[in-house]
Coordinates of all heavy atoms in Angstrom, one line a residue:
K1 N -14.5 8.5 -7.4 CA -14.2 7.1 -7.3 C -13.1 6.8 -6.4 O -12.1 7.5 -6.3 CB -13.8 6.5 -8.7 CG -14.9 6.5 -9.7 CD -14.5 5.8 -11.0 CE -13.6 6.6 -11.8 NZ -13.2 6.0 -13.0
E2 N -13.2 5.7 -5.6 CA -12.2 5.2 -4.7 C -11.0 4.7 -5.5 O -11.2 4.0 -6.6 CB -12.7 4.1 -3.8 CG -11.7 3.6 -2.8 CD -12.3 2.6 -1.8 OE1 -13.4 2.0 -2.1 OE2 -11.6 2.3 -0.8
N3 N -9.8 5.0 -5.1 CA -8.6 4.6 -5.8 C -8.5 3.0 -5.7 O -8.6 2.5 -4.6 CB -7.4 5.2 -5.1 CG -6.1 4.8 -5.7 OD1 -5.7 3.6 -5.6 ND2 -5.5 5.7 -6.5
P4 N -8.3 2.3 -6.8 CA -8.3 0.9 -6.8 C -7.2 0.3 -5.9 O -7.4 -0.8 -5.3 CB -8.1 0.5 -8.2 CG -8.6 1.7 -9.0 CD -8.3 2.8 -8.2
I5 N -6.0 0.9 -5.9 CA -4.9 0.4 -5.0 C -5.3 0.5 -3.6 O -5.2 -0.4 -2.8 CB -3.6 1.2 -5.3 CG1 -3.2 0.9 -6.7 CG2 -2.6 0.8 -4.3 CD1 -2.0 1.8 -7.2
E6 N -5.9 1.7 -3.2 CA -6.3 1.8 -1.8 C -7.5 0.9 -1.5 O -7.5 0.4 -0.4 CB -6.7 3.3 -1.5 CG -5.5 4.3 -1.5 CD -4.5 4.0 -0.5 OE1 -4.9 3.7 0.7 OE2 -3.3 3.9 -0.8
K7 N -8.4 0.7 -2.4 CA -9.5 -0.2 -2.2 C -9.0 -1.6 -1.9 O -9.4 -2.3 -1.0 CB -10.4 -0.2 -3.4 CG -11.6 -1.1 -3.2 CD -12.6 -1.0 -4.4 CE -13.8 -1.9 -4.2 NZ -14.8 -1.7 -5.2
L8 N -8.0 -2.1 -2.7 CA -7.4 -3.4 -2.5 C -6.8 -3.5 -1.2 O -7.0 -4.5 -0.4 CB -6.4 -3.7 -3.6 CG -5.6 -4.9 -3.5 CD1 -6.4 -6.2 -3.3 CD2 -4.6 -5.1 -4.7
L9 N -6.0 -2.5 -0.8 CA -5.3 -2.6 0.5 C -6.3 -2.6 1.6 O -6.1 -3.3 2.6 CB -4.3 -1.4 0.6 CG -3.0 -1.5 -0.2 CD1 -2.3 -0.2 -0.3 CD2 -2.1 -2.6 0.3
N10 N -7.3 -1.8 1.5 CA -8.4 -1.7 2.6 C -9.1 -3.0 2.7 O -9.7 -3.3 3.8 CB -9.3 -0.6 2.3 CG -8.7 0.8 2.5 OD1 -7.7 0.9 3.2 ND2 -9.2 1.8 1.9
L11 N -9.2 -3.8 1.7 CA -9.9 -5.1 1.8 C -9.1 -6.3 2.3 O -9.6 -7.3 2.6 CB -10.5 -5.4 0.4 CG -11.7 -4.5 -0.1 CD1 -12.0 -4.8 -1.5 CD2 -12.9 -4.7 0.8
L12 N -7.8 -6.1 2.3 CA -6.9 -7.2 2.8 C -7.0 -7.3 4.3 O -7.3 -6.3 5.0 CB -5.5 -6.9 2.4 CG -5.2 -7.0 0.9 CD1 -3.7 -6.6 0.6 CD2 -5.4 -8.4 0.4
P13 N -6.6 -8.4 4.9 CA -6.6 -8.5 6.3 C -5.6 -7.4 6.8 O -4.6 -7.1 6.2 CB -6.0 -9.9 6.6 CG -6.4 -10.7 5.3 CD -6.3 -9.7 4.2
A14 N -5.9 -6.8 8.0 CA -5.2 -5.6 8.5 C -3.7 -5.8 8.6 O -3.0 -4.9 8.2 CB -5.8 -5.2 9.8
E15 N -3.3 -6.9 9.1 CA -1.8 -7.1 9.3 C -1.1 -7.2 7.9 O -0.1 -6.6 7.7 CB -1.5 -8.4 10.1 CG -1.9 -8.3 11.5 CD -1.6 -9.5 12.3 OE1 -1.0 -10.5 11.7 OE2 -2.0 -9.6 13.5
I16 N -1.8 -7.9 7.0 CA -1.2 -8.0 5.6 C -1.2 -6.6 4.9 O -0.2 -6.2 4.3 CB -1.9 -9.0 4.8 CG1 -1.7 -10.4 5.4 CG2 -1.5 -9.0 3.3 CD1 -2.6 -11.5 4.8
A17 N -2.3 -5.9 5.1 CA -2.4 -4.6 4.4 C -1.3 -3.6 5.0 O -0.6 -2.9 4.2 CB -3.7 -4.0 4.7
Q18 N -1.1 -3.7 6.3 CA 0.0 -2.8 6.9 C 1.3 -3.2 6.4 O 2.1 -2.3 6.0 CB -0.1 -2.9 8.4 CG 0.9 -2.0 9.1 CD 0.7 -0.5 8.8 OE1 -0.4 -0.1 8.6 NE2 1.8 0.2 8.7
L19 N 1.6 -4.5 6.3 CA 2.9 -5.0 5.8 C 3.1 -4.5 4.4 O 4.2 -4.0 4.0 CB 3.0 -6.5 5.9 CG 4.3 -7.1 5.4 CD1 5.5 -6.6 6.1 CD2 4.2 -8.6 5.4
K20 N 2.1 -4.7 3.5 CA 2.1 -4.3 2.1 C 2.4 -2.8 2.0 O 3.2 -2.4 1.2 CB 0.9 -4.7 1.4 CG 0.6 -6.2 1.3 CD 1.4 -6.8 0.3 CE 1.1 -8.3 0.2 NZ 2.0 -9.0 -0.6
R21 N 1.7 -2.0 2.8 CA 1.9 -0.5 2.7 C 3.3 -0.2 3.1 O 3.9 0.7 2.4 CB 0.9 0.2 3.7 CG -0.5 0.2 3.3 CD -1.4 0.9 4.3 NE -2.8 0.6 4.1 CZ -3.6 1.2 3.3 NH1 -3.1 2.1 2.5 NH2 -4.9 0.9 3.2
E22 N 3.9 -0.8 4.1 CA 5.2 -0.5 4.5 C 6.2 -0.9 3.4 O 7.2 -0.2 3.1 CB 5.6 -1.2 5.8 CG 4.8 -0.7 7.0 CD 4.9 -1.5 8.3 OE1 5.6 -2.6 8.2 OE2 4.3 -1.1 9.3
E23 N 6.0 -2.1 2.8 CA 6.9 -2.6 1.8 C 6.8 -1.7 0.5 O 7.9 -1.3 -0.1 CB 6.5 -4.0 1.3 CG 6.8 -5.0 2.4 CD 6.2 -6.4 2.0 OE1 5.3 -6.5 1.2 OE2 6.7 -7.4 2.7
I24 N 5.6 -1.3 0.2 CA 5.4 -0.4 -1.0 C 6.1 0.9 -0.7 O 6.8 1.5 -1.6 CB 3.9 -0.3 -1.3 CG1 3.4 -1.6 -1.9 CG2 3.7 0.9 -2.3 CD1 1.9 -1.7 -1.9
E25 N 5.9 1.5 0.4 CA 6.5 2.8 0.8 C 8.0 2.7 0.7 O 8.6 3.6 0.1 CB 6.0 3.3 2.1 CG 6.6 4.7 2.5 CD 6.1 5.2 3.8 OE1 5.1 4.7 4.4 OE2 6.7 6.2 4.3
A26 N 8.6 1.7 1.3 CA 10.0 1.5 1.2 C 10.5 1.4 -0.2 O 11.5 2.1 -0.6 CB 10.4 0.3 2.1
D27 N 9.9 0.6 -1.0 CA 10.3 0.4 -2.4 C 10.1 1.7 -3.2 O 11.0 2.1 -4.0 CB 9.5 -0.7 -3.1 CG 9.8 -2.1 -2.6 OD1 10.8 -2.2 -1.8 OD2 9.1 -3.0 -3.0
L28 N 9.0 2.4 -3.0 CA 8.8 3.7 -3.7 C 9.8 4.7 -3.3 O 10.3 5.5 -4.2 CB 7.4 4.2 -3.5 CG 6.3 3.4 -4.2 CD1 4.9 3.9 -3.7 CD2 6.4 3.4 -5.7
K29 N 10.1 4.8 -2.0 CA 11.2 5.8 -1.6 C 12.5 5.4 -2.2 O 13.3 6.3 -2.6 CB 11.2 5.8 -0.1 CG 10.0 6.6 0.5 CD 10.1 6.6 2.0 CE 9.0 7.5 2.6 NZ 8.9 7.5 4.1
A30 N 12.9 4.1 -2.2 CA 14.2 3.7 -2.7 C 14.3 4.0 -4.2 O 15.4 4.3 -4.7 CB 14.3 2.2 -2.5
A31 N 13.1 4.0 -4.9 CA 13.1 4.3 -6.3 C 12.9 5.8 -6.6 O 12.7 6.2 -7.8 CB 12.1 3.4 -7.0
D32 N 12.8 6.6 -5.6 CA 12.5 8.0 -5.6 C 11.1 8.3 -6.3 O 11.0 9.2 -7.1 CB 13.6 8.8 -6.4 CG 13.6 10.3 -6.1 OD1 13.1 10.6 -5.0 OD2 14.0 11.0 -7.0
L33 N 10.1 7.4 -6.0 CA 8.8 7.5 -6.6 C 7.7 7.8 -5.5 O 6.5 7.8 -5.8 CB 8.5 6.3 -7.4 CG 9.3 6.1 -8.6 CD1 9.1 4.7 -9.2 CD2 8.9 7.1 -9.7
W34 N 8.1 7.9 -4.2 CA 7.2 8.1 -3.2 C 6.3 9.3 -3.4 O 5.1 9.3 -3.2 CB 7.9 8.1 -1.8 CG 6.9 8.4 -0.7 CD1 6.8 9.5 0.1 CD2 5.8 7.6 -0.2 NE1 5.8 9.4 1.0 CE2 5.2 8.2 0.8 CE3 5.4 6.3 -0.6 CZ2 4.1 7.7 1.5 CZ3 4.3 5.8 0.0 CH2 3.7 6.4 1.1

């Protein structure tokens, strides 16, 4: 099964998806959850 989070990100407009990925990565790294 495809991961639902990845599926959601892949269905968003490309620019929005990229921005969301960057924001999520930064937040996860800041919380030591990356």
Side-chain angles (χ1 to χ4, degrees):
K1 293 190 286 183
E2 183 177 12
N3 180 290
I5 294 170
E6 290 299 313
K7 182 176 182 176
L8 172 55
L9 287 166
N10 289 336
L11 289 172
L12 292 175
E15 290 179 8
I16 293 171
Q18 183 60 35
L19 177 63
K20 297 283 185 191
R21 287 179 195 280
E22 291 169 2
E23 292 171 342
I24 290 167
E25 182 176 347
D27 288 353
L28 290 171
K29 284 181 176 178
D32 199 28
L33 293 168
W34 176 247

